[in-house]
Amino acid sequence: MCRDRTGKSRWDRSVVWGMLRNPAYAGAAVFGKTQVQHEPAGLNRRSRLEGRATPRPVKTIDRPREEWIAIPVPALITPATFERVAGRLADNERFASRNTKVPSLLQGLAACATCGCGYDRTSTRTTHEKIYYYRCLGSDDYRYEGGRVRTNKPVRADYLDTLVRDHVTGVLTDPTLIRTEIHRRLEQTRTADPAHVDVRCTVPGCGGGGPVLN
């Protein structure tokens, strides 16, 4: 069985994606493809849920191709094959199903209250309609060598969107509710451990580790 350089028998998609974009396999090892850009500290999804800051002083970005320094190396594939792969990757990115054509209210905002993974949107088609769901990324078998790490059930996107939209609309149309909610959150922040402050989903079928809106 062919293993990756870390010894895993299941190759991560990011590893394969990096290999397909590496010109060294076509005979040109390249130096300077990326550069480090300094950034201020920020928050990720997990740190937001736990109420803590996570330093992110730098990030890596791509350099323009004209700034690359190429060194000839033995080729494993022909340049023509490498260019065909590059074209297919570009087509995959252009026509990928993940490119959102029908936006949803909570896309990018919902996360699992148990593991902190983002809630992705998926869909299924019945005889009469297409139904969208939010689901925890930890429930994907292919993402983890030992299989899924969560068994949360998907949540109907239209149910959760309607619940949140009605709640927000009700709050915005009543100044009393706005003041009450502000005071409640301030009091909650003063008295509660930030690592345990979350808003769990109460929609039927959400499961024990429902989404958190953050």
Side-chain angles (χ1 to χ4, degrees):
M1 180 181 295
C2 183
R3 298 180 179 272
D4 67 7
R5 62 181 179 180
T6 64
K8 292 190 296 185
S9 59
R10 176 177 290 187
W11 289 56
D12 293 335
R13 292 186 303 167
S14 59
V15 174
V16 177
W17 181 78
M19 293 173 62
L20 294 177
R21 298 178 69 247
N22 190 346
Y25 294 96
V30 175
F31 174 79
K33 290 189 296 183
T34 61
Q35 62 182 348
V36 173
Q37 180 175 339
H38 292 271
E39 284 197 335
L43 290 174
N44 57 30
R45 189 184 301 275
R46 168 74 68 159
S47 62
R48 288 199 304 270
L49 294 178
E50 297 178 354
R52 59 180 176 82
T54 300
R56 291 186 302 177
V58 296
K59 74 173 183 178
T60 302
I61 61 175
D62 292 334
R63 285 181 180 272
R65 295 185 67 92
E66 57 270 17
E67 296 181 8
W68 292 4
I69 301 175
I71 303 174
V73 296
L76 299 180
I77 59 175
T78 65
T81 299
F82 185 77
E83 292 300 326
R84 287 200 301 270
V85 171
R88 176 57 63 88
L89 290 176
D91 289 341
N92 289 348
E93 183 176 4
R94 178 182 177 188
F95 300 112
S97 59
R98 67 178 177 271
N99 291 338
T100 303
K101 298 177 177 62
V102 180
S104 55
L105 179 65
L106 304 176
Q107 186 168 338
L109 298 177
C112 178
T114 303
C115 65
C117 291
Y119 259 61
D120 191 14
R121 195 182 70 170
T122 186
S123 65
T124 185
R125 184 174 293 279
T126 66
T127 305
H128 305 290
E129 62 179 337
K130 188 174 185 179
I131 302 175
Y132 292 95
Y133 292 88
Y134 296 117
R135 60 184 181 81
C136 176
L137 295 178
S139 63
D140 289 335
D141 280 328
Y142 72 89
R143 294 180 184 273
Y144 308 93
E145 187 171 9
R148 66 183 62 187
V149 296
R150 289 288 176 266
T151 57
N152 302 344
K153 295 180 180 179
V155 184
R156 280 279 296 262
D158 52 346
Y159 293 169
L160 187 56
D161 286 353
T162 300
L163 176 68
V164 173
R165 184 183 295 109
D166 291 346
H167 177 73
V168 173
T169 301
V171 171
L172 294 178
T173 54
D174 189 339
T176 302
L177 290 178
I178 296 177
R179 287 193 295 268
T180 301
E181 180 67 13
I182 291 175
H183 291 318
R184 184 190 70 81
R185 296 195 176 211
L186 290 175
E187 183 64 23
Q188 185 182 52
T189 301
R190 285 194 294 264
T191 60
D193 182 352
H196 297 87
V197 175
D198 58 49
V199 180
R200 293 179 181 271
C201 173
T202 58
V203 177
C206 182
V212 171
L213 307 180
N214 52 90

